[in-house]
Amino acid sequence: FQVVDWVEAYKQDRNLALLDLINFFIQCSGCQGMVTAEMLQSLYKKDVMRKMTETFDKDNEDYPLIRTGPYWKKFKANFCEFIAVLVQQCQCSILYDNYLMDTIISLLTGLADSMVRAFRHTSTLAAMKLLTAVVSIHLNLDVNKHNAQRLYEVEKKRISGKRTNGRLDQLERKRKEVRELLEVQNMMNAIFKGTFLNRYRDVIPEIRATCIEEIGRWIKTYPDAFLNDSYLKYIGWMLYDKQAEVRLKCLLGLQGIYSRKELASRMDLFTNRFKDRIVSMPLDKDHEVAVQAMKLLMLMSQNCEDVLSAEDCEMLYQFVYATHRPLAVAAGEFLYKRLLGHEGDREVQPKGGRKFGASTDQLKRLIDFFLESELHKHVAYLVDSLWDWAGKFLKDWECMTTLLLKNAEEVGEALSDAQENALIEIILAAVREAAEGHPPVGRGAAKKILSVKEKKIQLEDCTKITEHFIMVLPQLLAKYSTDAEKVANLLQIPQYYDLDVCSMGHLEKHLGALLREIKDIVAKHSDMSVLEASSRTYYVLCHEEIAIYNQVDCARTQMIDELIKQLNQLLDCFWQKVSDMCFHLQIILPALQCTYFSLLWQLAAVSENSPKAFMILCDWLLILSHLDSNNNEEAVRLLGYLPNTPLQEKLFSFIKEHVFMDNEDFNAFVSLDLTEEGKDESCKLDDLHKKRSLLAAYCKLIVYNVVEMTAAAEIYKYYVKTYGDFGDIIKETLSKTRYNNKIQSAKTLILCLQQLFQTHAESQDSSSGVDFSSPSFANIKELARRFSLTFGWDQVKSREPIAMIHKEGIEFAFQGATGVDGKCLPPNLSFLLIISEFSNKLLKPDKRLVYSYLQRYITEPLSCRGDEWQPLVCYRNSLLANEDEETSVLGSLGEWPPMGSSKTSSFKRKLSNGMKTSQFLISCIFFVCLSVWQDCSILGKLNGFSFKWLLAVSFNKGMLCSTCPFELGPIVSLLWRTYWKCPSQDL
């Protein structure tokens, strides 16, 4: 209701208006009870509260403040706004009548002490918002009082000692009016002591969070009254709260205080008492708490002198390598503003007087930090953390490359070899970040979707990278041509070129210089990383669609010809030395096979580097199991090999032990101190990359049919549990196997769910049956739901595999049952709840077909009563949810509705005796063609479109009936008579 109208009603009849306000608070708590005027007059206030508690539905724990959705979110905002507006409208009139506020405060204090959570939560929120509004009024009154005091002093000095002035008398009276100020102060004390002191430690975290959020607002709004240890101590204590929501409110409240330098200077005692706790909170297990703690520490370091020690800063800097990107970005801001962004850094001016970019001192500080952190494999993480704050600095390619190219006397002190390596790594990471526009692997679940503005910036950066490095890169390669590590990194930069820019005429000479340098590097080096980088550069630059293709292809061909020439010379020398030996294919191929089997036998003896041996084994299996069809038949006979069942079991055992077995311990490490047990963020990331590589190698064996597809069922069990670390690999495996064989892939999914269900059933008490309300059963249902989502929206494409899943699921659910006679409950009946997750992927005709197949196992439908048959009923409902004729019986838990006589004939036959859709379509085509052949006079009535349409209709109609080809005659005859009006005897 409108606040203004209520104020007018209060002035007319305050008891009636207050009764409406009381019922408003009661109903906002979710209580349906009503306080009447008689109750308010005849009962004490405690009795009224008790009466409302009795009318409250204790079993209903859902009330407006905790409901989700935009409507209830808006309700909460409007509820808080109403209280603020109510106080504002009353401040000039009825606020000080000693009745309104006393009644409201008494009501809210009483409700806040209720045993009912809804009353307690709602009234606490109302009381805290009420106190916030009263604090604003007190602040205004205090300001007015001080203004009046200043005006009084000024007016007093202007007036002579003996003269009097009406203005002075008026200011004197206003200065001495403190009654309203005292009344507001009493209201604040009553609410704080009556509600806050009892509820800031309530057992409900939402209530605690509300109290802490509001006290932070009071301190920031009215620091003269609240910025003291008497109020700050509550925020400090709640920093140790077990609930992340409460800790987060504490940090946000402190950010509002420390963001103002004049307030931060008054926080010395609090800072000394709780600084250690705040410094430790970036390690919080809740990501948002960790991020806000880092932001608070940055504000503290800016506005409080020497609050953080050097050791504290060094520890906080290391969070730039964290996998959670918001935390890493916050740490990057802290690092940049504390260490890299110092003002007053001078631009380096080399000989010749031309500035070449940002401060070299800043760049050297970044290099030194990177080297001191000793996490050289994670430079991409460091650059990504600093990107939002130091993007302009990190994209100053001219400054970076000048430092690498110039001599010591030109730019001051020369870089050491380690500094040059670090700078080249930073350049490569910055180029990749600018060109790709998304975080590195391991920091973010998927690639970032760029906005139009971000795409424009990305294209501009790619152009600048190309224009600069196509001129500078040949010089860098020439300078460091003998250093394999530097050259391998520098050769990766052309991967991010804009090839259209390379095609410009004025850059062709620089492209030729680059190709010559690459050719010389290939001739000098045998290091695999250098050769792979060179090969990748040729591959990137050799695109037939771009103008530089001929130039690059010519250089590549020339280099290959020279390499082949050198190889032939070496082979001639080699054959001369071993001319007495026979190196026929019959000797080389068995030798390779012996090497392979030797690796298998020695794999068990490998202990220190078993992951590497596993990777080599997987690569060998791929090579030996997938020979090209053009290979020599004798080579196929010698080298062709598929791993047997024991070897496949050993392969998965290795994956289970090294990837999934210790995954829980690995995830638990995220919340530990970086220095605990000698581990740090680097170790965690290295472990994750190694595990992902092992899992990817094994999944590749499944995708390429080296290992049986059913082995994927063991991998799919960990899909939900390890989604954050390996979800993309498992999902890609599922997609590839489905592309290879849709039916076999579906059988693998249902096999995975069956194995998990059997494991769950074995862990349950046999006497009580399968508990489908347990967390483990819920996890299986969630996995089934995830599997269902992978089929996408095209139900026609997934028709066959979805039908196969339901068929296999129904057979498994009734496995071991002699029939439904009311006595013998199928042991796996609860499995129907799991396959019901796939019901929404069935086409409507297929639902009826699956339903008819389900009826095969139901001999006495009327006996299916009781809670133990609930899975069967739920599964039935999921199949018939959209059937109009079944709506009247969907609510029945015991009766199975008979099928309509007009549709029963198409459901008589069983799915298990059917065949694939492709076979059925062939049967339809065969029958139609046979009919046309027998009656050539009808052939003229068909055109291309009609014939295709007939086949499509036959196909769709046919899926509703038996898939036996000998019973298709009536269906096609009916279609023929209907659409072409042919006499039945003609067919």
Side-chain angles (χ1 to χ4, degrees), residues 280-292:
S280 69
M281 292 185 76
L283 291 167
D284 197 282
K285 63 182 180 181
D286 184 84
H287 290 317
E288 186 61 25
V289 172
V291 172
Q292 298 304 326

Side-chain angles (χ1 to χ4, degrees), residues 165-213:
N165 188 290
R167 172 68 174 168
L168 188 63
D169 294 339
Q170 183 182 1
L171 290 173
E172 175 69 15
R173 287 192 302 271
K174 191 171 184 180
R175 184 173 65 89
K176 293 182 178 180
E177 286 180 355
V178 296
R179 182 179 65 84
E180 293 181 354
L181 198 61
L182 291 175
E183 288 185 6
V184 174
Q185 182 66 46
N186 291 334
M187 296 176 195
M188 292 167 52
N189 292 335
I191 299 174
F192 185 82
K193 294 178 180 178
T195 303
F196 179 87
L197 290 182
N198 294 328
R199 298 278 71 83
Y200 85 93
R201 51 187 178 181
D202 196 280
V203 296
I204 305 302
E206 291 88 346
I207 297 177
R208 302 198 301 272
T210 298
C211 293
I212 295 302
E213 181 180 13

Side-chain angles (χ1 to χ4, degrees), residues 1-8 10 17-18 20-22 24-25 78-96 100-101 103-105 107-108 126 129-130 133-134 137:
F1 49 87
Q2 295 293 331
V3 175
V4 177
D5 297 338
W6 183 88
V7 172
E8 293 299 325
Y10 180 87
L18 272 177
D20 290 339
L21 187 61
I22 291 172
F24 169 76
F25 285 116
N78 291 338
F79 178 75
C80 298
E81 184 182 2
F82 164 77
I83 296 172
V85 174
L86 177 64
V87 175
Q88 291 174 2
Q89 293 294 327
C90 298
Q91 64 177 329
C92 298
S93 56
I94 60 177
L95 189 68
Y96 310 105
L100 172 64
M101 292 300 294
T103 305
I104 295 177
I105 293 172
L107 168 69
L108 296 179
K129 292 297 180 181
L130 182 65
V134 172
I137 292 177

Side-chain angles (χ1 to χ4, degrees), residues 932-945:
V932 173
W933 181 267
Q934 291 176 349
D935 190 356
C936 297
S937 62
I938 306 175
L939 189 60
K941 299 181 181 180
L942 295 177
N943 54 36
F945 174 80

Side-chain angles (χ1 to χ4, degrees), residues 29-99:
S29 301
C31 178
Q32 301 301 319
M34 293 284 291
V35 179
T36 62
E38 293 77 9
M39 292 171 57
L40 204 58
Q41 293 174 0
S42 61
L43 299 175
Y44 292 104
K45 293 179 181 178
K46 290 184 178 180
D47 296 332
V48 174
M49 296 300 103
R50 180 179 54 80
K51 195 76 173 176
M52 290 299 100
T53 302
E54 291 175 356
T55 60
F56 200 93
D57 186 5
K58 296 181 180 179
D59 296 332
N60 183 15
E61 297 181 357
D62 187 23
Y63 56 94
L65 288 188
I66 63 172
R67 290 177 187 169
T68 57
Y71 175 82
W72 296 110
K73 198 180 219 179
K74 187 176 180 181
F75 166 82
K76 183 177 180 180
N78 291 338
F79 178 75
C80 298
E81 184 182 2
F82 164 77
I83 296 172
V85 174
L86 177 64
V87 175
Q88 291 174 2
Q89 293 294 327
C90 298
Q91 64 177 329
C92 298
S93 56
I94 60 177
L95 189 68
Y96 310 105
D97 65 354
N98 294 325
Y99 184 72

Side-chain angles (χ1 to χ4, degrees), residues 345-450:
D345 290 333
R346 296 178 301 171
E347 301 288 345
V348 175
Q349 184 122 5
K351 295 179 180 179
R354 186 180 65 86
K355 288 187 178 180
F356 58 82
S359 171
T360 307
D361 291 338
Q362 280 186 317
L363 190 55
K364 287 185 176 180
R365 284 197 295 269
L366 176 60
I367 294 172
D368 292 339
F369 168 76
F370 175 58
L371 293 175
E372 291 171 2
S373 62
E374 297 181 354
L375 295 174
H376 300 166
K377 295 182 180 180
H378 305 299
V379 63
Y381 278 26
L382 173 62
V383 170
D384 181 59
S385 301
L386 293 168
W387 196 255
D388 294 346
W389 305 103
K392 184 177 180 181
F393 162 63
L394 291 171
K395 290 189 287 188
D396 194 346
W397 321 118
E398 189 177 1
C399 172
M400 296 179 180
T401 54
T402 301
L403 277 179
L404 291 173
L405 291 173
K406 297 297 182 181
N407 298 323
E409 57 272 11
E410 294 177 314
V411 295
E413 184 180 354
L415 298 178
S416 65
D417 183 68
Q419 288 177 323
E420 288 178 340
N421 279 326
L423 180 55
I424 291 174
E425 290 183 24
I426 291 172
I427 291 174
L428 176 59
V431 167
R432 188 205 65 81
E433 185 88 17
E436 295 183 351
H438 59 80
V441 177
R443 182 176 282 178
K447 291 186 177 180
K448 179 183 177 183
I449 299 177
L450 302 179

